[in-house]
Amino acid sequence: MKLTLTQRLSLVFSVLLLTCSGASAWLQIRANDMREKEVVQVLSRDLAAHIANTTSLTDANGLRPDAVRRLFGQLMGVNPSVEVYLLDNEGRIEGDDAPPGHVKRDHVDLTPVRRFLAGDPLPILGDDPRSVDARKVFSVAPLRLPGQPPVGYIYVVLLGEAHDRLAARVDVGTVLRTTLWSMALVALLGLVAGLFAFSVITRPLRRLTDAMRRFDANGEPDTQPPLPHAPPGRRGDDMIVLETAFEQMADRIGDQWRALAHQDQQRRELIANISHDLRTPLTSLHGYLETLSLKAASLDDTERRRYLSIALAQSAKVGRLAQALFELARLESGGVQPAPEDFSLVDLVQDVLQKFELAAKARDIALCAHIPARVPNVSADLGMIERVLTNLLDNALRHTPAHGTVEITLEQRDGQVAVTVADTGSGIPPERRDGLFERPQRPLTGGGSYSSGGLGLLIVHRMLLLHGSRIRLLDRAGQGAVFEFALSMAGAPPAARRSG
């Protein structure tokens, strides 16, 4: 049978309570019995001495057992609970008036007798001649002949057989019932109080357990069950500390799960978009190659060269997509780390502009660079920054209409050099800006519309993150898409390197 923590605690507490109640009752009965014996022994301490002084239990021949029997009969009439014995100096019983067969010992240990006569604290228990192993309170006094040392002892058992029989009947009756009822009442009250205390103490734990059972890391934040919160003024309570720790853990797990779900969604979108991007050039490539294969005999040289040119262009497009995918995978897996070096960003910008000069002239697009007189060197990975500028310029040229302009601006700011790439295209619609640097998006249909940079902007975003910088999309009136990032100047302090 499986029990909850509260049930186990209650069960253990009940067993301990009953055990303690039983032990307490036994100790109480034991203490009352010892107190009764002490009172009786103190009151009757001089009884044996009084008997020895007022009764002739010895003669010239020594002890008189017959006198003991007569004395016993007289005392029984006055106090039926006492029993009188005559002992010699060795503790042997020389005289008594017990019924035949009632005396179970022929010898009494004299050690308690000597303690009694020496005045040790009471109660002192001595041997009961009518029992094999029982010990009872007693009174004792030495017996002396005139002018001689003691010849024996008068030994009086204060609580004899008659007392035991009466006490047994009373114990079985009123006293025992009273004790048992008292013990049961105390145990019941203690049990109720203990169960209530356990319920109050474990209430936060039950609340926490319920919250843990209802917790769903995959659930939406608005639909999650409320988590326990620590009441004011109880922040140091162990259970409250546990609740707070669980609340923090649940928040972290929920955030991590939603981040994983978001990343998974981005991965799915990436695969879908890449599949879409690959389908068109592959279909075109396959179509033209199939045409060349089927109509090789009927095509003239001009048509054959045109088909081959288109097939090669589509093949190059597929190759660029595959290369971009491979590069993005390496960046996301951590397989690529920047190798910073100091270089002139002005020279790099001029080299990249020259690379796109012919393509810009072919589309009648002006390439402009706004560079201050003195631009300090920057510290970064030269190859990565060249790729960043290449991707940004390539995107700008592809989405800028004829007679448009693409501008690159350098500006020194607080230990960094800011780079801005702007074009005069139609810009990026607001609905496409969310996640622009996190996932590729399919191109918008219609003339002149601007789509996200796809894999190119993803690669730019990842490379700049490795440099402690970020790519930003700015809003500028009269211009299309404006991207900006910053690089740390050579020799700049670490704080400035991370502020981009």
Side-chain angles (χ1 to χ4, degrees):
M1 181 176 59
K2 296 183 179 180
L3 300 177
T4 63
L5 176 61
T6 303
Q7 292 172 338
R8 291 197 298 270
L9 289 175
S10 301
L11 180 60
V12 172
F13 175 75
S14 301
V15 173
L16 292 177
L17 180 62
L18 292 176
T19 302
C20 293
S21 299
S24 177
W26 180 83
L27 290 174
Q28 183 178 359
I29 295 174
R30 175 74 174 173
N32 290 337
D33 180 64
M34 293 301 294
R35 179 173 178 79
E36 178 188 5
K37 292 177 179 179
E38 180 182 2
V39 171
V40 170
Q41 194 168 28
V42 170
L43 290 176
S44 304
R45 182 177 192 134
D46 298 328
L47 177 59
H50 178 72
I51 294 174
N53 293 331
T54 59
T55 306
S56 179
L57 301 178
T58 59
D59 55 17
N61 297 323
L63 299 175
R64 297 174 57 193
D66 56 334
V68 174
R69 294 187 183 92
R70 289 194 300 272
L71 177 61
F72 182 80
Q74 294 173 359
L75 291 175
M76 282 291 294
V78 177
N79 188 356
S81 65
V82 299
E83 299 169 355
V84 182
Y85 300 90
L86 192 60
L87 309 180
D88 62 11
N89 285 332
E90 301 297 329
R92 288 186 293 271
I93 298 175
E94 297 293 340
D96 65 86
D97 195 26
H102 280 237
V103 178
K104 302 298 177 30
R105 302 177 193 238
D106 60 359
H107 183 275
V108 173
D109 184 11
L110 294 182
T111 300
V113 172
R114 297 190 184 98
R115 290 177 54 206
F116 184 90
L117 295 176
D120 287 358
L122 303 180
I124 299 175
L125 302 183
D127 291 343
D128 179 12
R130 300 195 185 190
S131 174
V132 177
D133 54 1
R135 298 171 66 82
K136 296 184 176 181
V137 291
F138 63 92
S139 177
V140 69
L143 295 175
R144 293 183 174 86
L145 294 174
Q148 296 182 11
V151 296
Y153 301 92
I154 181 71
Y155 186 77
V156 181
V157 175
L158 302 177
L159 302 175
E161 284 184 331
H163 174 272
D164 291 344
R165 288 192 296 269
L166 180 61
R169 289 195 297 269
V170 173
D171 286 344
V172 174
T174 306
V175 175
L176 183 60
R177 285 195 300 270
T178 302
T179 302
L180 292 177
W181 276 109
S182 300
M183 183 182 68
L185 181 60
V186 172
L188 179 61
L189 293 177
L191 180 61
V192 172
L195 294 179
F196 177 75
F198 283 139
S199 177
V200 173
I201 293 173
T202 58
R203 184 181 301 164
L205 183 59
R206 294 195 302 272
R207 185 169 62 246
L208 178 60
T209 302
D210 293 338
M212 293 178 68
R213 288 174 178 172
R214 297 192 306 269
F215 176 70
D216 181 11
N218 194 21
E220 295 296 331
D222 296 337
T223 62
Q224 287 287 351
L227 296 175
H229 293 279
R234 294 186 58 196
R235 301 290 178 176
D237 190 295
D238 292 340
M239 299 300 295
I240 301 303
V241 171
L242 182 61
E243 287 184 335
T244 303
F246 171 75
E247 178 184 352
Q248 296 172 351
M249 180 196 68
D251 291 340
R252 288 196 298 269
I253 291 176
D255 293 341
Q256 292 171 357
W257 183 269
R258 286 186 286 274
L260 289 174
H262 182 62
Q263 292 177 2
D264 183 68
Q265 180 64 26
Q266 290 181 353
R267 179 184 60 81
R268 294 173 184 272
E269 293 180 0
L270 175 62
I271 294 175
N273 291 331
I274 294 303
S275 299
H276 178 272
D277 291 340
L278 287 174
R279 185 182 301 114
T280 301
L282 285 176
T283 302
S284 177
L285 175 62
H286 180 270
Y288 280 101
L289 291 177
E290 186 177 23
T291 301
L292 287 173
S293 176
L294 295 176
K295 299 182 178 181
S298 61
L299 293 176
D300 55 25
D301 291 341
T302 303
E303 289 180 334
R304 186 180 294 108
R305 285 193 295 270
R306 186 172 67 86
Y307 285 177
L308 286 174
S309 176
I310 295 175
L312 287 173
Q314 297 300 325
S315 176
K317 185 175 182 180
V318 172
R320 288 193 299 272
L321 283 173
Q323 180 63 28
L325 278 175
F326 176 73
E327 190 172 7
L328 181 61
R330 291 183 61 205
L331 289 170
E332 290 185 341
S333 65
V336 178
Q337 294 297 327
E341 59 178 304
D342 297 344
F343 63 90
S344 172
L345 190 58
V346 175
D347 294 342
L348 179 61
V349 168
Q350 292 175 348
D351 292 341
V352 174
L353 287 176
Q354 290 178 359
K355 185 190 306 183
F356 288 94
E357 185 175 358
L358 293 178
K361 285 183 178 180
R363 301 186 60 180
D364 196 14
I365 297 175
L367 290 178
C368 301
H370 301 283
I371 300 175
R374 293 183 180 181
V375 177
N377 292 345
V378 297
S379 177
D381 188 300
L382 177 60
M384 287 189 179
I385 301 305
E386 181 181 4
R387 182 60 189 275
V388 168
L389 292 173
T390 299
N391 285 0
L392 291 177
L393 282 175
D394 181 66
N395 279 336
L397 289 174
R398 284 191 291 109
H399 296 92
T400 301
H403 311 295
T405 303
V406 174
E407 298 179 348
I408 296 183
T409 304
L410 301 183
E411 183 181 358
Q412 181 178 348
R413 300 176 188 169
D414 300 329
Q416 294 181 320
V417 177
V419 182
T420 305
V421 178
D423 60 56
T424 56
S426 59
I428 299 177
E431 63 271 13
R432 291 300 183 95
R433 297 188 179 190
D434 185 22
L436 180 65
F437 305 111
E438 298 177 359
R439 63 180 184 271
Q441 300 178 14
R442 295 181 181 180
L444 290 172
T445 59
S449 297
Y450 193 100
S451 70
S452 72
L455 294 178
L457 286 183
L458 285 180
I459 293 173
V460 168
H461 174 66
R462 295 290 181 180
M463 286 184 172
L464 290 177
L465 283 181
L466 292 177
H467 287 81
S469 180
R470 288 184 178 274
I471 183 74
R472 295 188 300 165
L473 177 63
L474 306 180
D475 290 324
R476 288 186 181 177
Q479 289 187 322
V482 181
F483 295 98
E484 181 184 79
F485 66 93
L487 296 175
S488 299
M489 294 190 307
R497 293 178 182 269
R498 294 192 298 268
S499 62

